[in-house]
Amino acid sequence: MAIWFSVNSVKGKAALQLSREIGVQYKTAWVLLMKLREAIAWRREDMVLEGEVEIDGKYAGGHIRPENRAEDRVDRRLKKFQNMKRLCALAIRERGLGGRTFTRVIRDEDGAAAWAAVRDHVSRDATVIADVHASYNDIVGLNRMERVNHSKAYQAEDGTDTNQIESFFSRVQRAYVGIHHRFSLKYFDWYVAELAWREDTRYHGNRSQTFSVLRKALSRPTSRFLCGYWQGNRPPDLIWEKAPV
């Protein structure tokens, strides 16, 4: 029943709402939802994207309330004024109906992480589409690339754009604002992985989604991260540190 209520929510499920719907404590609902997110996240391990794929990154977390007086405010886009607690959700998405979305949470939108993600999870025959951020420059050595300069236009004159991955990021933003109101950066990777699955299965019915999550949950062993969570067992920060070799 908890799985059905969860998949029925388009932008994600808040543990507080689920606890009211099925009549359990908040702690029970929170751990159950996190175990489901962990199981869903495992689908990424063997994922290899094909065709035309888009790649981009989205930063989240580390919000600082701006000062009341306008003259006291600073430009948080500048590195010297950042609190360095924000994390980047790196996403790669197949174009077209039924396309899959691969995600990893990394510390910064850097070239090493992007290169390693494309190397391991994108077919060499695929075309990679990205903006002109410098972190994607080295991918040209792996795959054919197309670029779009967003400082000039959302879509280049030849039709190149990254609109589909931006659509996924809008789902992440709506889940943040409308459902969860905040993402714990410790578990941000699982939240983003779940939202990627929701994006990929958005046209599937409730029955199909429910059995999909149930199969993923039953095929996984006991969670070593979440078993005994409220008794003190805590997972490490779920940040991808993999570097290319």
Side-chain angles (χ1 to χ4, degrees):
M1 186 163 52
I3 292 175
W4 187 91
F5 276 117
S6 175
V7 302
N8 194 49
S9 301
V10 178
K11 300 182 181 68
K13 194 69 174 179
L16 185 59
Q17 183 180 7
L18 182 63
S19 69
R20 293 168 177 169
E21 289 172 341
I22 64 176
V24 298
Q25 291 185 1
Y26 169 80
K27 291 182 177 181
T28 303
W30 187 90
V31 169
L32 177 56
L33 287 173
M34 294 308 295
K35 286 180 178 179
L36 295 177
R37 292 181 181 117
E38 181 187 17
I40 290 172
W42 277 100
R43 77 186 186 110
R44 302 174 297 184
E45 299 306 308
D46 299 324
M47 187 180 291
V48 178
L49 308 182
E50 300 177 345
E52 292 182 323
V53 302
E54 301 176 10
I55 184 171
D56 204 354
K58 175 180 175 60
Y59 282 88
H63 175 72
I64 300 177
R65 186 187 297 274
E67 297 292 338
N68 177 51
R69 296 164 56 88
E71 56 268 27
D72 296 332
R73 299 171 192 163
V74 297
D75 188 353
R76 294 290 175 187
R77 295 173 297 180
L78 300 179
K79 191 169 185 177
K80 64 179 180 179
F81 293 129
Q82 294 176 5
N83 64 358
M84 307 309 292
K85 292 183 179 179
R86 291 169 67 80
L87 295 176
C88 176
L90 178 69
I92 311 174
R93 185 177 182 187
E94 281 179 334
R95 282 185 167 179
L97 187 63
R100 297 163 295 169
T101 306
F102 172 86
T103 62
R104 287 292 191 195
V105 167
I106 55 180
R107 295 193 181 278
D108 296 295
E109 194 175 8
D110 65 87
W115 190 90
V118 172
R119 178 197 62 189
D120 296 339
H121 298 282
V122 176
S123 168
R124 296 285 76 81
D125 296 326
T127 299
V128 179
I129 303 165
D131 58 25
V132 293
H133 195 283
S135 61
Y136 307 122
N137 289 346
D138 291 340
I139 297 176
V140 71
L142 291 173
N143 287 70
R144 178 177 178 271
M145 283 201 71
E146 296 178 2
R147 312 292 290 269
V148 54
N149 189 343
H150 286 157
S151 65
K152 295 182 178 179
Y154 292 119
Q155 184 179 73
E157 292 184 359
D158 61 358
T160 303
D161 62 60
T162 56
N163 290 344
Q164 292 199 22
I165 203 164
E166 294 296 343
S167 176
F168 165 63
F169 286 145
S170 71
R171 179 183 290 270
V172 176
Q173 184 65 20
R174 289 300 95 198
Y176 177 88
V177 173
I179 304 297
H180 302 289
H181 304 295
R182 64 180 292 271
F183 286 131
S184 169
L185 295 184
K186 190 178 188 67
Y187 308 106
F188 186 39
D189 182 61
W190 288 347
Y191 280 103
V192 175
E194 179 204 17
L195 291 167
W197 174 82
R198 290 181 184 276
E199 179 75 9
D200 296 347
T201 62
R202 63 193 183 279
Y203 293 123
H204 296 187
N206 281 19
R207 177 185 175 88
S208 173
Q209 290 182 333
T210 299
F211 279 103
S212 174
V213 175
L214 186 60
R215 282 192 298 269
K216 288 177 172 60
L218 292 176
S219 65
R220 300 301 311 163
T222 301
S223 172
R224 64 187 180 90
F225 289 144
L226 294 168
C227 183
Y229 179 87
W230 295 113
Q231 288 72 44
N233 179 39
R234 297 291 190 273
D237 292 342
L238 303 173
I239 302 173
W240 198 39
E241 302 287 0
K242 186 176 181 180
V245 293

